Every structure is written in structure tokens, then in C-alpha cells.
PDB file of all heavy atoms in Angstrom:
ATOM      1  N   ILE A   1     166.465  91.854  90.440  1.00 85.00           N
ATOM      2  CA  ILE A   1     167.048  93.187  90.283  1.00 85.00           C
ATOM      3  C   ILE A   1     166.004  94.155  89.738  1.00 85.00           C
ATOM      4  O   ILE A   1     165.881  95.296  90.221  1.00 85.00           O
ATOM      5  CB  ILE A   1     168.286  93.152  89.350  1.00 85.00           C
ATOM      6  CG1 ILE A   1     169.384  92.292  89.955  1.00 85.00           C
ATOM      7  CG2 ILE A   1     168.777  94.559  89.029  1.00 85.00           C
ATOM      8  CD1 ILE A   1     170.006  92.840  91.216  1.00 85.00           C
ATOM      9  N   PHE A   2     165.231  93.720  88.748  1.00 90.00           N
ATOM     10  CA  PHE A   2     164.171  94.570  88.193  1.00 90.00           C
ATOM     11  C   PHE A   2     163.208  95.030  89.274  1.00 90.00           C
ATOM     12  O   PHE A   2     162.875  96.216  89.372  1.00 90.00           O
ATOM     13  CB  PHE A   2     163.402  93.820  87.088  1.00 90.00           C
ATOM     14  CG  PHE A   2     162.158  94.531  86.643  1.00 90.00           C
ATOM     15  CD1 PHE A   2     162.216  95.584  85.745  1.00 90.00           C
ATOM     16  CD2 PHE A   2     160.913  94.154  87.155  1.00 90.00           C
ATOM     17  CE1 PHE A   2     161.056  96.238  85.349  1.00 90.00           C
ATOM     18  CE2 PHE A   2     159.757  94.810  86.772  1.00 90.00           C
ATOM     19  CZ  PHE A   2     159.833  95.866  85.859  1.00 90.00           C
ATOM     20  N   TRP A   3     162.758  94.095  90.111  1.00 91.00           N
ATOM     21  CA  TRP A   3     161.792  94.457  91.151  1.00 91.00           C
ATOM     22  C   TRP A   3     162.418  95.328  92.232  1.00 91.00           C
ATOM     23  O   TRP A   3     161.775  96.229  92.770  1.00 91.00           O
ATOM     24  CB  TRP A   3     161.127  93.212  91.748  1.00 91.00           C
ATOM     25  CG  TRP A   3     160.073  92.696  90.820  1.00 91.00           C
ATOM     26  CD1 TRP A   3     160.105  91.538  90.107  1.00 91.00           C
ATOM     27  CD2 TRP A   3     158.850  93.355  90.469  1.00 91.00           C
ATOM     28  NE1 TRP A   3     158.977  91.435  89.335  1.00 91.00           N
ATOM     29  CE2 TRP A   3     158.185  92.529  89.536  1.00 91.00           C
ATOM     30  CE3 TRP A   3     158.256  94.554  90.834  1.00 91.00           C
ATOM     31  CZ2 TRP A   3     156.954  92.869  88.985  1.00 91.00           C
ATOM     32  CZ3 TRP A   3     157.027  94.896  90.292  1.00 91.00           C
ATOM     33  CH2 TRP A   3     156.393  94.067  89.379  1.00 91.00           C
ATOM     34  N   MET A   4     163.679  95.099  92.540  1.00 89.00           N
ATOM     35  CA  MET A   4     164.349  95.944  93.527  1.00 89.00           C
ATOM     36  C   MET A   4     164.457  97.383  93.021  1.00 89.00           C
ATOM     37  O   MET A   4     164.203  98.335  93.760  1.00 89.00           O
ATOM     38  CB  MET A   4     165.740  95.393  93.860  1.00 89.00           C
ATOM     39  CG  MET A   4     165.715  94.145  94.712  1.00 89.00           C
ATOM     40  SD  MET A   4     167.380  93.549  95.087  1.00 89.00           S
ATOM     41  CE  MET A   4     167.847  94.720  96.364  1.00 89.00           C
ATOM     42  N   VAL A   5     164.821  97.545  91.743  1.00 92.00           N
ATOM     43  CA  VAL A   5     164.915  98.884  91.151  1.00 92.00           C
ATOM     44  C   VAL A   5     163.538  99.529  91.092  1.00 92.00           C
ATOM     45  O   VAL A   5     163.375 100.714  91.422  1.00 92.00           O
ATOM     46  CB  VAL A   5     165.567  98.824  89.748  1.00 92.00           C
ATOM     47  CG1 VAL A   5     165.437 100.150  89.020  1.00 92.00           C
ATOM     48  CG2 VAL A   5     167.031  98.412  89.856  1.00 92.00           C
ATOM     49  N   THR A   6     162.538  98.761  90.699  1.00 92.00           N
ATOM     50  CA  THR A   6     161.168  99.278  90.615  1.00 92.00           C
ATOM     51  C   THR A   6     160.680  99.752  91.987  1.00 92.00           C
ATOM     52  O   THR A   6     160.117 100.852  92.110  1.00 92.00           O
ATOM     53  CB  THR A   6     160.214  98.205  90.049  1.00 92.00           C
ATOM     54  OG1 THR A   6     160.673  97.827  88.753  1.00 92.00           O
ATOM     55  CG2 THR A   6     158.790  98.708  89.973  1.00 92.00           C
ATOM     56  N   ILE A   7     160.906  98.957  92.997  1.00 92.00           N
ATOM     57  CA  ILE A   7     160.483  99.318  94.355  1.00 92.00           C
ATOM     58  C   ILE A   7     161.254 100.553  94.828  1.00 92.00           C
ATOM     59  O   ILE A   7     160.672 101.471  95.412  1.00 92.00           O
ATOM     60  CB  ILE A   7     160.652  98.125  95.317  1.00 92.00           C
ATOM     61  CG1 ILE A   7     159.626  97.040  94.968  1.00 92.00           C
ATOM     62  CG2 ILE A   7     160.511  98.558  96.770  1.00 92.00           C
ATOM     63  CD1 ILE A   7     159.876  95.704  95.618  1.00 92.00           C
ATOM     64  N   HIS A   8     162.565 100.582  94.559  1.00 92.00           N
ATOM     65  CA  HIS A   8     163.363 101.741  94.957  1.00 92.00           C
ATOM     66  C   HIS A   8     162.849 103.010  94.284  1.00 92.00           C
ATOM     67  O   HIS A   8     162.677 104.053  94.938  1.00 92.00           O
ATOM     68  CB  HIS A   8     164.840 101.516  94.623  1.00 92.00           C
ATOM     69  CG  HIS A   8     165.718 102.663  94.976  1.00 92.00           C
ATOM     70  ND1 HIS A   8     166.014 102.992  96.284  1.00 92.00           N
ATOM     71  CD2 HIS A   8     166.329 103.589  94.209  1.00 92.00           C
ATOM     72  CE1 HIS A   8     166.789 104.067  96.297  1.00 92.00           C
ATOM     73  NE2 HIS A   8     166.987 104.450  95.041  1.00 92.00           N
ATOM     74  N   LEU A   9     162.592 102.932  92.985  1.00 93.00           N
ATOM     75  CA  LEU A   9     162.084 104.103  92.260  1.00 93.00           C
ATOM     76  C   LEU A   9     160.708 104.515  92.777  1.00 93.00           C
ATOM     77  O   LEU A   9     160.389 105.709  92.812  1.00 93.00           O
ATOM     78  CB  LEU A   9     162.052 103.835  90.763  1.00 93.00           C
ATOM     79  CG  LEU A   9     163.423 103.761  90.087  1.00 93.00           C
ATOM     80  CD1 LEU A   9     163.280 103.372  88.621  1.00 93.00           C
ATOM     81  CD2 LEU A   9     164.176 105.071  90.239  1.00 93.00           C
ATOM     82  N   THR A  10     159.901 103.549  93.194  1.00 93.00           N
ATOM     83  CA  THR A  10     158.600 103.863  93.791  1.00 93.00           C
ATOM     84  C   THR A  10     158.792 104.664  95.071  1.00 93.00           C
ATOM     85  O   THR A  10     158.087 105.653  95.311  1.00 93.00           O
ATOM     86  CB  THR A  10     157.808 102.568  94.077  1.00 93.00           C
ATOM     87  OG1 THR A  10     157.628 101.863  92.846  1.00 93.00           O
ATOM     88  CG2 THR A  10     156.460 102.865  94.701  1.00 93.00           C
ATOM     89  N   PHE A  11     159.763 104.267  95.897  1.00 91.00           N
ATOM     90  CA  PHE A  11     160.058 105.022  97.116  1.00 91.00           C
ATOM     91  C   PHE A  11     160.544 106.437  96.782  1.00 91.00           C
ATOM     92  O   PHE A  11     160.136 107.410  97.416  1.00 91.00           O
ATOM     93  CB  PHE A  11     161.117 104.315  97.971  1.00 91.00           C
ATOM     94  CG  PHE A  11     160.654 103.044  98.628  1.00 91.00           C
ATOM     95  CD1 PHE A  11     161.533 101.987  98.806  1.00 91.00           C
ATOM     96  CD2 PHE A  11     159.354 102.895  99.080  1.00 91.00           C
ATOM     97  CE1 PHE A  11     161.117 100.818  99.423  1.00 91.00           C
ATOM     98  CE2 PHE A  11     158.934 101.728  99.697  1.00 91.00           C
ATOM     99  CZ  PHE A  11     159.814 100.685  99.869  1.00 91.00           C
ATOM    100  N   VAL A  12     161.411 106.549  95.782  1.00 92.00           N
ATOM    101  CA  VAL A  12     161.933 107.854  95.398  1.00 92.00           C
ATOM    102  C   VAL A  12     160.802 108.760  94.908  1.00 92.00           C
ATOM    103  O   VAL A  12     160.677 109.912  95.348  1.00 92.00           O
ATOM    104  CB  VAL A  12     163.030 107.719  94.307  1.00 92.00           C
ATOM    105  CG1 VAL A  12     163.401 109.071  93.727  1.00 92.00           C
ATOM    106  CG2 VAL A  12     164.266 107.027  94.881  1.00 92.00           C
ATOM    107  N   VAL A  13     159.961 108.247  94.016  1.00 93.00           N
ATOM    108  CA  VAL A  13     158.843 109.039  93.489  1.00 93.00           C
ATOM    109  C   VAL A  13     157.882 109.407  94.618  1.00 93.00           C
ATOM    110  O   VAL A  13     157.401 110.550  94.691  1.00 93.00           O
ATOM    111  CB  VAL A  13     158.120 108.281  92.349  1.00 93.00           C
ATOM    112  CG1 VAL A  13     156.810 108.953  91.964  1.00 93.00           C
ATOM    113  CG2 VAL A  13     159.035 108.167  91.130  1.00 93.00           C
ATOM    114  N   SER A  14     157.614 108.478  95.523  1.00 91.00           N
ATOM    115  CA  SER A  14     156.744 108.774  96.665  1.00 91.00           C
ATOM    116  C   SER A  14     157.321 109.900  97.511  1.00 91.00           C
ATOM    117  O   SER A  14     156.591 110.793  97.951  1.00 91.00           O
ATOM    118  CB  SER A  14     156.559 107.534  97.547  1.00 91.00           C
ATOM    119  OG  SER A  14     155.919 106.519  96.839  1.00 91.00           O
ATOM    120  N   GLY A  15     158.626 109.863  97.736  1.00 88.00           N
ATOM    121  CA  GLY A  15     159.274 110.913  98.515  1.00 88.00           C
ATOM    122  C   GLY A  15     159.167 112.266  97.840  1.00 88.00           C
ATOM    123  O   GLY A  15     158.868 113.270  98.483  1.00 88.00           O
ATOM    124  N   VAL A  16     159.392 112.284  96.536  1.00 91.00           N
ATOM    125  CA  VAL A  16     159.292 113.543  95.796  1.00 91.00           C
ATOM    126  C   VAL A  16     157.859 114.067  95.844  1.00 91.00           C
ATOM    127  O   VAL A  16     157.621 115.266  96.055  1.00 91.00           O
ATOM    128  CB  VAL A  16     159.781 113.362  94.340  1.00 91.00           C
ATOM    129  CG1 VAL A  16     159.446 114.565  93.486  1.00 91.00           C
ATOM    130  CG2 VAL A  16     161.282 113.077  94.313  1.00 91.00           C
ATOM    131  N   LEU A  17     156.885 113.177  95.664  1.00 91.00           N
ATOM    132  CA  LEU A  17     155.480 113.601  95.713  1.00 91.00           C
ATOM    133  C   LEU A  17     155.091 114.105  97.104  1.00 91.00           C
ATOM    134  O   LEU A  17     154.375 115.109  97.226  1.00 91.00           O
ATOM    135  CB  LEU A  17     154.561 112.463  95.268  1.00 91.00           C
ATOM    136  CG  LEU A  17     154.629 112.120  93.777  1.00 91.00           C
ATOM    137  CD1 LEU A  17     153.780 110.896  93.465  1.00 91.00           C
ATOM    138  CD2 LEU A  17     154.220 113.303  92.922  1.00 91.00           C
ATOM    139  N   LEU A  18     155.546 113.429  98.165  1.00 87.00           N
ATOM    140  CA  LEU A  18     155.265 113.905  99.527  1.00 87.00           C
ATOM    141  C   LEU A  18     155.875 115.285  99.762  1.00 87.00           C
ATOM    142  O   LEU A  18     155.228 116.167 100.329  1.00 87.00           O
ATOM    143  CB  LEU A  18     155.810 112.920 100.567  1.00 87.00           C
ATOM    144  CG  LEU A  18     154.943 111.729 100.901  1.00 87.00           C
ATOM    145  CD1 LEU A  18     155.702 110.766 101.819  1.00 87.00           C
ATOM    146  CD2 LEU A  18     153.652 112.152 101.550  1.00 87.00           C
ATOM    147  N   ALA A  19     157.109 115.459  99.313  1.00 86.00           N
ATOM    148  CA  ALA A  19     157.766 116.763  99.480  1.00 86.00           C
ATOM    149  C   ALA A  19     157.020 117.836  98.684  1.00 86.00           C
ATOM    150  O   ALA A  19     156.824 118.959  99.183  1.00 86.00           O
ATOM    151  CB  ALA A  19     159.224 116.678  99.035  1.00 86.00           C
ATOM    152  N   ALA A  20     156.586 117.505  97.477  1.00 89.00           N
ATOM    153  CA  ALA A  20     155.846 118.470  96.658  1.00 89.00           C
ATOM    154  C   ALA A  20     154.511 118.830  97.313  1.00 89.00           C
ATOM    155  O   ALA A  20     154.126 120.009  97.344  1.00 89.00           O
ATOM    156  CB  ALA A  20     155.619 117.909  95.254  1.00 89.00           C
ATOM    157  N   MET A  21     153.818 117.828  97.855  1.00 88.00           N
ATOM    158  CA  MET A  21     152.540 118.102  98.528  1.00 88.00           C
ATOM    159  C   MET A  21     152.755 118.989  99.747  1.00 88.00           C
ATOM    160  O   MET A  21     151.977 119.918  99.983  1.00 88.00           O
ATOM    161  CB  MET A  21     151.842 116.795  98.925  1.00 88.00           C
ATOM    162  CG  MET A  21     151.276 116.039  97.744  1.00 88.00           C
ATOM    163  SD  MET A  21     150.294 114.585  98.174  1.00 88.00           S
ATOM    164  CE  MET A  21     151.408 113.613  99.124  1.00 88.00           C
ATOM    165  N   ASP A  22     153.804 118.716 100.521  1.00 83.00           N
ATOM    166  CA  ASP A  22     154.094 119.558 101.688  1.00 83.00           C
ATOM    167  C   ASP A  22     154.450 120.979 101.261  1.00 83.00           C
ATOM    168  O   ASP A  22     154.046 121.945 101.901  1.00 83.00           O
ATOM    169  CB  ASP A  22     155.225 118.953 102.527  1.00 83.00           C
ATOM    170  CG  ASP A  22     154.751 117.809 103.395  1.00 83.00           C
ATOM    171  OD1 ASP A  22     153.525 117.626 103.518  1.00 83.00           O
ATOM    172  OD2 ASP A  22     155.607 117.101 103.935  1.00 83.00           O
ATOM    173  N   TRP A  23     155.209 121.110 100.165  1.00 85.00           N
ATOM    174  CA  TRP A  23     155.570 122.432  99.669  1.00 85.00           C
ATOM    175  C   TRP A  23     154.326 123.191  99.214  1.00 85.00           C
ATOM    176  O   TRP A  23     154.157 124.360  99.547  1.00 85.00           O
ATOM    177  CB  TRP A  23     156.570 122.294  98.513  1.00 85.00           C
ATOM    178  CG  TRP A  23     157.004 123.607  97.959  1.00 85.00           C
ATOM    179  CD1 TRP A  23     157.921 124.469  98.502  1.00 85.00           C
ATOM    180  CD2 TRP A  23     156.534 124.229  96.768  1.00 85.00           C
ATOM    181  NE1 TRP A  23     158.056 125.579  97.711  1.00 85.00           N
ATOM    182  CE2 TRP A  23     157.208 125.459  96.628  1.00 85.00           C
ATOM    183  CE3 TRP A  23     155.613 123.863  95.787  1.00 85.00           C
ATOM    184  CZ2 TRP A  23     156.991 126.320  95.564  1.00 85.00           C
ATOM    185  CZ3 TRP A  23     155.396 124.722  94.733  1.00 85.00           C
ATOM    186  CH2 TRP A  23     156.075 125.934  94.630  1.00 85.00           C
ATOM    187  N   ILE A  24     153.435 122.516  98.481  1.00 87.00           N
ATOM    188  CA  ILE A  24     152.191 123.158  98.021  1.00 87.00           C
ATOM    189  C   ILE A  24     151.339 123.575  99.214  1.00 87.00           C
ATOM    190  O   ILE A  24     150.799 124.679  99.254  1.00 87.00           O
ATOM    191  CB  ILE A  24     151.408 122.209  97.075  1.00 87.00           C
ATOM    192  CG1 ILE A  24     152.168 122.059  95.761  1.00 87.00           C
ATOM    193  CG2 ILE A  24     149.986 122.720  96.836  1.00 87.00           C
ATOM    194  CD1 ILE A  24     151.650 120.937  94.875  1.00 87.00           C
ATOM    195  N   THR A  25     151.240 122.688 100.203  1.00 84.00           N
ATOM    196  CA  THR A  25     150.460 123.001 101.408  1.00 84.00           C
ATOM    197  C   THR A  25     151.046 124.202 102.134  1.00 84.00           C
ATOM    198  O   THR A  25     150.316 125.100 102.549  1.00 84.00           O
ATOM    199  CB  THR A  25     150.406 121.783 102.349  1.00 84.00           C
ATOM    200  OG1 THR A  25     149.821 120.687 101.651  1.00 84.00           O
ATOM    201  CG2 THR A  25     149.609 122.076 103.591  1.00 84.00           C
TER     202      THR A  25
END
């Protein structure tokens, strides 16, 4: 469960960072 949550949060943070980079661009 810990690793599933960690991986999920990694995907969420990656998505937010990609969206932020696209917005900045």
C-alpha cells in the first residue's frame, strides 16, 4: 500500500509539474 500510494503521488506530482511547465512555456 505504501508503494502504491508513493507511485500514485509521483504520477500526480509529475502531472502537476508537466502542466506547470506547459503553462510557463
Side-chain angles (χ1 to χ4, degrees):
I1 297 293
F2 170 80
W3 282 111
M4 287 181 77
V5 169
T6 301
I7 291 167
H8 179 71
L9 289 175
T10 301
F11 290 146
V12 170
V13 169
S14 297
V16 169
L17 290 175
L18 277 173
M21 288 186 303
D22 282 348
W23 181 78
I24 291 168
T25 301

